[in-house]
Amino acid sequence: MSTPAPLSNWSTRAINLPDHADNPIHTDAGARAAGFPGALVAGTTIYAYMTHPPTAAWGDDWLSRGGGELHLRRPVFDNDDIECTVTTTDEGESVVSACVAGDAKSSLRLWRQAHAPPVRDGEPLQALTTRLADEHIDYALRCGDDLAIYAEQQIAHPVTWAQLANQVFIDNLVTGPWIHVRSKIFHEGVAAIGAEVRVESNLLQRFDSRAGERALVDMRIYANDEPVATIEHEAIIVLAR
């Protein structure tokens, strides 16, 4: 196997896309009602930024066989300047941190080649079906990720899998403001624009925490009946008051 290209830092300005206005936490009024100074930038947007270094360095290899463990620890607000900073752990793993003014808000521990685990048994949730369209290329472009690989190859940006996971929560588990906090995302292939996508999900656990009620869901995502991603997705589905 060839030596992987080195990862490089990358910076951009956070954009709170209107796509997420259905979750009040991504509006000024809803965020202030929950105790924040203004609208939170969506976790999927932060994740899109953090996929820039591995995609720029590793390309199709990471998009089709890699993945990572995402932790969204502290909020990012509209117009924050974000530095996606690459570090290496003592174990040799690469980590991308989304930093604002030197403060790490979120992290993505990268797997250059990942082996997706089987989806665990739980309460089956309503299946989600959709067709990949241009919005699955240009979401990240609109929020500031300028990589051309997705448009050139007409494939979905990896943030698509996190977006679909969020939609499962919206369809099945949430009724008000909610916050995505953590994911393990395993890539199993790339998906072409126009592909028919199906998401099969099992609710593993609902539990209380200091921040509110949380839910943990396992998901398998298929494009034209071929697996493209497996996700363990966790979110606060009822915020503590």
Side-chain angles (χ1 to χ4, degrees), residues 27 112 144:
T27 67
R112 184 165 179 244

Side-chain angles (χ1 to χ4, degrees), residues 2-241:
S2 61
T3 302
L7 297 162
S8 298
N9 296 349
W10 178 76
S11 60
T12 190
R13 177 162 291 182
I15 297 175
N16 185 33
L17 291 175
D19 308 46
H20 304 290
D22 57 343
N23 181 353
I25 205 70
H26 301 308
T27 67
D28 284 334
R32 287 170 182 151
F36 296 99
L40 277 65
V41 174
T44 49
T45 299
I46 306 305
Y47 175 62
Y49 296 147
M50 290 192 287
T51 67
H52 185 109
T55 303
W58 302 336
D60 289 332
D61 189 44
W62 186 73
L63 293 174
S64 60
R65 292 181 290 276
E69 182 170 3
L70 171 68
H71 287 269
L72 300 161
R73 293 186 171 88
R74 288 185 290 280
V76 172
F77 301 100
D78 196 33
N79 286 319
D80 279 349
D81 289 319
I82 290 187
E83 177 81 16
C84 292
T85 303
V86 179
T87 56
T88 303
T89 68
D90 292 341
E91 293 75 28
E93 293 182 310
S94 297
V95 177
V96 179
S97 298
C99 302
V100 175
D103 181 22
K105 304 293 187 178
S106 300
S107 65
L108 178 63
R109 180 168 60 93
L110 296 172
W111 307 314
R112 184 165 179 244
Q113 292 194 337
H115 298 284
V119 173
R120 292 165 287 184
D121 291 335
E123 176 188 340
L125 300 178
Q126 176 183 344
L128 171 65
T129 59
T130 190
R131 182 183 291 274
L132 295 181
D134 288 344
E135 66 192 70
H136 300 107
I137 292 176
D138 70 9
Y139 173 96
L141 183 64
R142 288 186 292 118
C143 72
D145 181 1
D146 57 0
L147 286 177
I149 186 172
Y150 310 107
E152 290 175 350
Q153 297 190 21
Q154 288 291 292
I155 57 174
H157 191 286
V159 74
T160 301
W161 315 137
Q163 287 179 279
L164 292 175
N166 277 355
Q167 190 62 48
V168 169
F169 273 66
I170 291 168
D171 292 345
N172 292 274
L173 296 167
V174 301
T175 58
W178 65 288
I179 300 175
H180 171 206
V181 295
R182 186 183 66 84
S183 295
K184 291 181 179 179
I185 302 175
F186 302 86
H187 300 163
E188 299 175 81
V190 296
I193 299 306
E196 293 281 355
V197 170
R198 183 178 78 260
V199 185
E200 298 179 354
S201 307
N202 288 333
L203 173 63
L204 303 179
Q205 191 178 9
R206 294 178 72 144
F207 58 98
D208 290 327
S209 71
R210 291 176 58 187
E213 183 183 358
R214 299 189 181 218
L216 182 65
V217 178
D218 264 9
M219 307 181 192
R220 194 82 184 275
I221 303 176
Y222 300 85
N224 291 340
D225 294 324
E226 294 294 328
V228 289
T230 295
I231 300 181
E232 176 186 288
H233 210 59
E234 183 178 334
I236 306 167
I237 57 174
V238 180
L239 304 185
R241 296 189 180 276

